[in-house]
Amino acid sequence: MKRVLKSLPRRRRSLLVLPVVAILVWALLPVESFTHPPRFFLDLTSVLDKSSGDVLRYIDPLIGTVNGGHVFPGPTLPYGMAKPVADVDNRGEAAAGFVSDDSRILGFSHLHDSGTGGSPSLGNFPLFPHPGCPEDDFTQCKYTSVQRALKRIEGSAVARTGYFSIGLNNSVYAEMTATEHAALYRFNFPSKAEVYSDGFMVPNSPLILLDLVDLGNTRSGGDIEVNATSGRIKGGGKFRPSFGTGQYEAFFCADFTGAEIRNTGTFQHMNATNETKALGNVVSDYTIPFGSAGAWIHFARAPRDHIMARVGVSFMSADQACANAEREVPDFDFGRAVKGIEAAWRAKLSVVSPDQGGMSKDLLTTFWSGLYRAMLSPQDYTGENPLWNSDEPYFDSFYCIWDSFRAQHPLLTIVDPAAQVRMVRSLIDTYKHEGKLPDCRMSFSKGYTQGGSNADVVLADAFVKNLTDGAVNWNLAYEAVVSDAEVEPRDWSVQGRGGLESWHKLGYIPFDDDDRNGTGPMSRSVSRTVEYAYDDFAIALMARGLGLQADASKYVARARNWRNLFNAEQADQYRDGMGKVRSTEFRGFMQPRYRNGTWRYQNTRLCSPVHEPHKCYFDTQYDTYEGSPWLYTFYVPQDMAGLIGAVGGPKAFVDRLDFFHEAGINYMGNEPNFLPTYQFHYGGRPGRSAYWVHRYIPGQFNASVAGIPGNDDCAMGAFAAFAFMGFFPVAGQDVYLVTPPLFRAVSLRTPSGRPATIRNVGFDPAYERIYVQSARLDGKPYNRSWITHDFFVNGGTLELVLGKEESDWGTRDEDLPPSLSTSADWLGGDA
Ligand SMILES: *[C@@H]1O[C@H](CO)[C@@H](O)[C@H](O)[C@H]1NC(C)=O
Ligand SMILES: *[C@@H]1O[C@H](CO)[C@@H](O)[C@H](O)[C@H]1NC(C)=O
Ligand SMILES: *[C@@H]1O[C@H](CO)[C@@H](O)[C@H](O)[C@H]1NC(C)=O
Ligand SMILES: *[C@@H]1O[C@H](CO)[C@@H](O)[C@H](O)[C@H]1NC(C)=O
Ligand SMILES: *[C@@H]1O[C@H](CO)[C@@H](O)[C@H](O)[C@H]1NC(C)=O
Ligand SMILES: *[C@@H]1O[C@H](CO)[C@@H](O)[C@H](O)[C@H]1NC(C)=O
Ligand SMILES: *[C@@H]1O[C@H](CO)[C@@H](O)[C@H](O)[C@H]1NC(C)=O
Ligand SMILES: *[C@@H]1O[C@H](CO)[C@@H](O)[C@H](O)[C@H]1NC(C)=O
Ligand SMILES: *[C@@H]1O[C@H](CO)[C@@H](O)[C@H](O)[C@H]1NC(C)=O
């Protein structure tokens, strides 16, 4: 997903922030800043496992921290709730807190999302360390986020699995790690009586403040208190979600160790006092005004030159935040928390065993970092849900399913099926308590629906892959998807579908829809139509599996509705550089239509990189969402054979798809553009899919800080991971399209214990031989260009013999992946 309402210019920066640079910059630091490398560098080396087999060497969390990736680069467990990192004041880019540029640091906060569009998310309760206050007077320290914002030491950011650190231009070096529900910080100060702080010399006597603000400055109300004896600061506030409606409450509990407390107090905006130790409803019915407000502790010089801060977080209460911190980090043991995160990631990533021979470090880093990012969100908030009581798991930050259903959830289905089952159960439980499945959900709030009700596809995908684990209530799941298809909610901007009366009667969403059952943004009629059609196909697959044949027939019929917006006469017209109207050979595009059946025109290239790319965000007036009619014309995953017929046959289709990529109409920074990289398979040209995979990796997905082409959404990494492993899912179907792995070979652990191995025969690390000549599955010739999920359940060995030219492998009709109009048995004879 992309930005909400504003179309900001995309920033392209290529600041390479590598540990090596950090160490170099370190050596050049002014002597007065530090007389010795602070402790954290020693700790960093002690946690590095230098053995070449350690996959953590290949995880660079800073990839995608510029160029719109919006990646969270701080320490976190897989799907972890606590996600501490430095927050910066670059509002356009700081959706996840940190950006690898020269923006200023506002503090260090403990909750974040990763890779999202929308406005900055979470970032509540930042801590900010001052090494001392001018004239040793606490009122002279800077309190508000605007005042205290500070430059970083250039190139000082270090990010590793489980660890993040950065130097501020006030002589403080901040290190951080995390557990499930707590962040742990170590603030390092110079070993001197007087220290440099942002232009002044101050006595070494640190003041650490905790501000109730969040990244988006959405707080209303809140409470905070500081205990002058123990130094514990706890409280909470009410905030707004970053791409949704309503409000949520969050709580924290901070404890400190490492120096004596000299003084404590609170602040509101610029005013600090030590007379008041609490603010908000804890003390009176007084409401803390909007903006910076919080509590502070003035410490004596730290005998060991660092102060540790442990911040527990909770969405239930401040007391639960304290309990979380005490349980998970009883002794402030920084190294142990780092090792805990490292071990958790090693275990998660151990499912995949590639043969890495001949591969560059950059390629390996692109793969492993992508796989890693695919497990940052949704976040496991089980036990922290204030909205309903349930024994089911609760995951949040499905942000958004429109982005994640296409690659991320199918990837988790293979590499972490246990987590995917828990996410599916959480979605079904959310339906049970909220009345609808979410399409987008963050911070316990309903997020905006971008197109269809794509949770239907997530559930169908898990269903057709038998991902039950005995724990999924499929009858309730089916009730939920049927509700999406049949019952229009009053507000369909945040759940379900709109225009359902038209959908049922006309078989498309008309441009001039007169929906009176609910309200929502009356735009995107083309993209909603093709998505609703595919969502209904997903429902048909579930109906069929549940033995509901009449339902299956009904939803298969609706799955054919894409045809209603396919205008066979529509030409592809555009203006060339001289303003002259030109057209290509391609005819037949998805177009909007009125209720009375008359076509309406939308430029076929609108909202692609070549024409007005920023006009189709959530506030759009147009008929396609974040993409062009060119793009949405390919969105018929249920019946690519039908589409190929409609556009003039396989050759015309393949030419059209090649043109889409070659002419730059495709934008790989958005998820709907993933599948068209592989749809050559349906035209009998799996080699063209392989060709485009290699154009996009490393051309668009690579190991530089700018190495993600758009918001990561935990999905860009999933796309890359699939591409490296040699297959790509058609989400919702039991279908994976095969291309040669970028590795010599790759093995995946399976539930049966027998590995699923894909091996290239004649592997060429220079990637000149990228075309499959022939294949064998478990020793027998295998002619299909696609495989099914049982390969990842029961294991097996797929060998791909490679050559420099395309071959006839995967070209015969019977070897193509299934389509409604050619696979009669797909839905029990219903096709
Ligand atoms: C820190 O700030 C001072 C001025 O306040 C500036 O002269 C100096 O270059 C800055 N140092 C860094 C590393 O940003
Ligand atoms: C402050 O903390 C001390 C030490 O833990 C405790 O004895 C005291 O009750 C606390 N004060 C308040 C007002 O909670
Ligand atoms: C800060 O203190 C000044 C002077 O006492 C006062 O006028 C102002 O209203 C205070 N501001 C806030 C936000 O409390
Ligand atoms: C406030 O701080 C001053 C020193 O700056 C100290 O003398 C005084 O006792 C403190 N008052 C409280 C209530 O902590
Ligand atoms: C799912 O289970 C059914 C019935 O046991 C079986 O026929 C089907 O092949 C399985 N599908 C997969 C993808 O494992
Ligand atoms: C629209 O509202 C009418 C009247 O309340 C109701 O009968 C009908 O079922 C609704 N249609 C949908 C698709 O929700
Ligand atoms: C259909 O409706 C549109 C918009 O109201 C109108 O411009 C068009 O002329 C109508 N077509 C017919 C055939 O009535
Ligand atoms: C890496 O990916 C980015 C983002 O897609 C792209 O702009 C850049 O050109 C790529 N770099 C290389 C060396 O291909
Ligand atoms: C696979 O293709 C080969 C070569 O075209 C052919 O001889 C063989 O019969 C095919 N096998 C199957 C199972 O269709």
Side-chain angles (χ1 to χ4, degrees), residues 784-803:
R784 287 175 164 183
S785 62
W786 56 288
I787 53 176
T788 53
H789 191 66
D790 67 318
F791 182 68
F792 302 106
V793 174
N794 301 317
T797 302
L798 179 66
E799 288 170 296
L800 306 173
V801 178
L802 303 188

Side-chain angles (χ1 to χ4, degrees), residues 163-184:
Y163 178 88
F164 183 91
S165 69
I166 195 160
L168 302 183
N169 193 10
N170 67 357
S171 304
V172 180
Y173 264 73
E175 300 172 274
M176 57 220 69
T177 185
T179 57
E180 199 67 61
H181 306 96
L184 189 58

Side-chain angles (χ1 to χ4, degrees), residues 120-136:
S121 201
L122 297 162
N124 327 63
F125 317 126
L127 289 171
F128 189 90
H130 289 291
C133 303
E135 297 177 13
D136 203 26

